[in-house]
Amino acid sequence: MLSKIFDCVNKMRPQLISYEVAKYNMYNYFAKSGLIDNPTNNPWIPTSIKTNIRKPNFIVGSKIDSKFATHHTIQKAINSACKVKNKSKRVFIKILPGIYTDVVYVPMDAPPITIYGSENNVSEVKIQLTIDALYTPAEYAKTVNGANQFKPSDAAWYMYEACATLKSKKIDTSCSAVFWVQSDDFQLKNVTITNTLLDDGDYQAVALRTDGDKTQLENVRLIGRQDTFWVNSGDKALSTNKQGAYSLTKITRAYVKDTYIEGDIDFVMGRANAVFNKCIFKVVSTRNHLGIVFAPNTLFQNPYGFLVMNSILITDSGYNNLESKATLGRS
């Protein structure tokens, strides 16, 4: 009897037929780049992120690791990467095990950068901070730049300044990311990023925001509640668009593999052509919300948004009772 009920449910559920399904593949999602109204055929086929680097360009560690580390904060390593002469050559930044309580901002004109942590345990490198979308610009500035980590001479200064000088009462979602990448060809592997607002607030708090083309994540943990991962198509922050959010003109592509993403409301959102392969999405019930995993903001001119393959969606034990509910997504 039970199998007949499931058969009935499956027949009622909307499904694509075979010829419709065929076009939704990684090649089509990554085939074009450039302007959305006049795209360029530029196929991108991601390969595994290389981390067996004998001598990375920069090494980040605590003062205890000073004999190995070239920098003690990730942002300072990013600043150094932005000063390399050959902007087309990939820069490798190794993060030694530890907890890094700072934001990380990668500006639009950075070279291709690979940031990677320990191969042994993705939790050995933790990048975390509490940033609430309801912070005022002054609260944001104190949290992000309280020790003058960002200076006007830094390549990423414009990203910080765009949020710190807002005239609005709150910084909003766009400035709430712990880790914000605007550059193309960015790679991230073997790290955990957490916006530690978690259950202490009831508002947007982004762990990772990516705006560039050919973004690649592998074996990463992203932890938050609302809007944990903003896989976006963004513009450089300018006076007319201070937060650089939501480009209306660009195609950006992202490949996310073997990654764990945790949240409760719209915790995978954005405008990119994003493919998730062998990922785990966990809906948590601690704030007693209707759980919503995906919230794509795909432009109507773009036939491709989010594609999820070979992945698992799970909940915590709070969803064992029938009163707690979660849904796959919304537009």
Side-chain angles (χ1 to χ4, degrees), residues 4 51 60 80 135 163 175 180 198 211 219 222 262 270 296 304:
K4 289 183 179 179
T51 56
V60 180
S80 294
Y135 278 177
C163 299
C175 291
W180 178 10
L198 298 178
D211 292 339
N219 194 34
L222 303 176
E262 176 184 302
Y304 303 108

Side-chain angles (χ1 to χ4, degrees), residues 4-15:
K4 289 183 179 179
I5 292 173
F6 284 131
D7 285 343
C8 181
V9 169
N10 286 332
K11 287 175 182 175
M12 290 163 49
R13 184 180 300 159
Q15 297 184 30

Side-chain angles (χ1 to χ4, degrees), residues 57 81-91 109-112:
N57 300 84
C82 291
K83 293 177 182 177
V84 299
K85 291 182 179 179
N86 186 351
K87 287 297 184 77
S88 63
K89 186 177 181 181
R90 182 165 292 280
V91 175
D109 58 354

Side-chain angles (χ1 to χ4, degrees), residues 203-237:
Y203 307 101
Q204 295 90 334
V206 178
L208 174 64
R209 170 182 167 183
T210 62
D211 292 339
D213 187 35
K214 295 195 288 186
T215 296
Q216 194 171 349
L217 275 58
E218 190 174 317
N219 194 34
V220 171
R221 286 170 56 85
L222 303 176
I223 299 172
R225 291 297 178 260
Q226 185 168 353
D227 302 344
T228 304
F229 182 25
W230 191 0
V231 55
N232 191 36
S233 177
D235 290 315
K236 183 173 180 176

Side-chain angles (χ1 to χ4, degrees), residues 24 46 52-53 70 77 82 103-104 151 193 197 199 202 211 222 256 261 322:
Y24 294 103
N52 58 338
I53 311 301
T70 60
C82 291
V103 297
V104 180
K151 303 182 187 306
I193 302 172
L197 181 68
D199 299 330
D202 204 25
D211 292 339
L222 303 176
V256 184
I261 308 174
L322 295 178

